[in-house]
Amino acid sequence: MNRVLPWLLVALCFAIGVASRSVTESFSIFLPALEREFSGSRSALTLIYSLTLVINGLGAPIAGWIVDRFGVRMLPILGMTLTALATASASFATELWHLYLGIGLVMGTGGAMMGGILSASLLGRWFPARRLGVALAVAWSAPGVGAIVVYPLTEYMIAVHGWRYAYLVFSISAAVFVPLLLVLPWRTIERGAIGIAHARASDQPGMTVGEAVREWPFWALTGSFALTSVGVFSLVPQSMAYLLERGFEGGHAARALAIAGFLTPLGMVGFSWLADRGGRKLAALLAYSCSVSGVGALAMVHGPADELWLWVYVLLFGGSQGSRGPMISTLATLRYRGANFGRIYGAICIGMGLGCFFGAWTGGLLHDWTGGYAAVLMLSAGSLALAAVFLGSEAGARERIAAR
């Protein structure tokens, strides 16, 4: 059973991610309908998504404290409940501030409970270093795999029944998970595998948060999370609108983005496999190179005649956009295992939340100010290139430690 249980827990983290994070990531599909409904500026609407992401990041230390103090079980139950409430409230929204509160605050908090803290804290108890990266990559890939179904389904529901109906369906789907989570054998799950140090049973408490923040590796991981998030989320929330404004049909654009979502988990697992086999720095730099090249390909898309460049973007950006999350989680887990891991990793995730907020909001502002996307694309590519320096630094350090 102990050989099967770790991968069942990967499947659990994956299912939670599909049921929750895929809904959050579908905001780009909702954006055109919300623009028509509320007649707001692009920046005012992308602020909804920005709030979701920044609350997700700022809530990570709270999620880490919950894990360190009460155990893992509280996170998915609380997170899924908040997701159901958030999407239900969104379906009845009549003012933008209703969406700021429901999707921004409530769903952002729920996302913090079910993000990297959950998967790293749970899977870090069951997988050794040589297999942890791939396990985390599978868990992190849930939004991308979910997008294969969620994006076209969302587009269909919005086109046929309206965006309120779509949010209500997502609310019911999240609510179904709550009673299932309540009956899981959490005592066995939280115990972890024999011989693997984990937070609540470690005789060596490891670093404290104060000790961690005084060293460069903490800031390398935090900076890479922040800059990667700026690079990805300045672009992704507007990707659907970008393609529609260039003359692509809505269903075709949604399918292209869904395929990008399908490639994301393949890239996560592939790059993490390369990293686990001793090529952490190579994997990080290769992933960033693909992302920056993908942004360049999207800049070449001026209309339906540029279909080839669209698919180059889908391949390169879609295949690499989520790959850094599992890498950062793995590096953090290997460096900070101990009784304070949840709080340290939660503090690192603040960088992700702030980067997501700044990226999504600034991307919308740049579009409003310039009337186009050139500045957005430059921000995305520049942030990703700088993030490669930060993550490459810590990935190289881990390779030197492993070689001793």
Side-chain angles (χ1 to χ4, degrees):
M1 179 62 181
N2 281 348
R3 292 184 178 181
V4 177
L5 182 56
W7 289 104
L8 290 177
L9 296 178
V10 172
L12 172 64
C13 292
F14 183 89
I16 290 171
V18 170
S20 59
R21 290 294 302 280
S22 294
V23 177
T24 301
E25 302 305 327
S26 69
F27 181 81
S28 62
I29 310 298
F30 282 92
L31 182 59
L34 295 177
E35 280 187 317
R36 292 190 296 269
E37 177 78 18
F38 293 101
S39 302
S41 66
R42 178 67 59 82
S43 58
L45 287 160
T46 56
L47 182 59
I48 300 168
Y49 187 59
S50 300
L51 287 172
T52 305
L53 298 175
V54 74
I55 295 299
N56 194 317
L58 294 178
I62 299 174
W65 176 81
I66 290 173
V67 169
D68 292 341
R69 180 67 179 83
F70 301 105
V72 179
R73 74 183 72 188
M74 292 288 294
L75 295 186
I77 296 169
L78 180 58
M80 199 63 72
T81 300
L82 290 174
T83 298
L85 292 174
T87 46
S89 70
S91 69
F92 295 101
T94 57
E95 302 286 344
L96 270 180
W97 71 266
H98 297 163
L99 295 175
Y100 292 152
L101 180 62
I103 300 300
L105 178 60
V106 180
M107 181 173 282
T109 304
M113 301 299 112
M114 296 182 291
I117 299 292
L118 173 62
S119 56
S121 299
L122 189 57
L123 301 182
R125 303 171 185 229
W126 288 93
F127 286 90
R130 68 183 184 278
R131 295 164 56 200
L132 180 60
V134 171
L136 285 171
V138 173
W140 274 74
S141 71
V145 175
I148 301 169
V149 175
V150 172
Y151 280 19
L153 177 62
T154 301
E155 171 69 19
Y156 172 79
M157 289 191 293
I158 291 173
V160 176
H161 301 288
W163 63 271
R164 298 179 188 277
Y165 176 89
Y167 270 132
L168 186 59
V169 169
F170 289 143
S171 175
I172 295 171
S173 300
V176 168
F177 269 81
V178 177
L180 299 178
L181 292 169
L182 288 170
V183 300
L184 291 177
W186 286 106
R187 288 187 179 180
T188 299
I189 291 172
E190 292 184 328
R191 188 162 53 239
I194 297 173
I196 297 179
H198 58 82
R200 295 182 63 81
S202 177
D203 294 328
Q204 299 180 347
M207 282 189 180
T208 65
V209 177
E211 291 170 340
V213 300
R214 289 194 289 270
E215 296 186 355
W216 166 247
F218 175 89
W219 295 107
L221 295 171
T222 303
S224 58
F225 243 156
L227 289 165
T228 303
S229 298
V230 172
V232 171
F233 289 98
S234 59
L235 186 59
V236 168
Q238 303 188 75
S239 56
M240 184 70 173
Y242 180 93
L243 296 176
L244 292 177
E245 290 176 20
R246 275 150 180 73
F248 287 89
E249 185 267 329
H252 180 68
R255 285 189 293 273
L257 296 178
I259 293 173
F262 170 76
L263 294 174
T264 296
L266 298 181
M268 285 181 175
V269 175
F271 284 116
S272 292
W273 179 87
L274 176 60
D276 280 350
R277 296 308 182 272
R280 298 191 187 279
K281 186 173 182 178
L282 173 62
L285 296 179
L286 181 60
Y288 281 113
S289 297
C290 288
S291 293
V292 173
S293 299
V295 174
L298 187 63
M300 301 298 293
V301 177
H302 302 291
D306 298 316
E307 182 87 4
L308 175 61
W309 287 114
L310 170 61
W311 291 107
V312 173
Y313 163 76
V314 167
L315 176 64
L316 294 178
F317 195 87
S320 62
Q321 67 173 331
S323 59
R324 277 71 54 146
M327 292 183 192
I328 295 169
S329 293
T330 301
L331 291 170
T333 304
L334 295 176
R335 182 172 286 276
Y336 298 117
R337 267 178 173 157
N340 300 303
F341 169 73
R343 278 164 282 193
I344 295 173
Y345 186 60
I348 291 171
C349 288
I350 291 177
M352 178 181 65
L354 293 176
C356 291
F357 173 82
F358 179 83
W361 185 46
T362 304
L365 283 176
L366 289 174
H367 175 270
D368 288 344
W369 289 343
T370 65
Y373 293 93
V376 177
L377 294 167
M378 292 175 62
L379 173 64
S380 176
S383 299
L384 289 167
L386 187 55
V389 177
F390 281 78
L391 187 56
S393 170
E394 175 61 10
R398 174 50 55 180
E399 287 182 345
R400 291 190 291 273
I401 292 172
R404 291 175 185 171

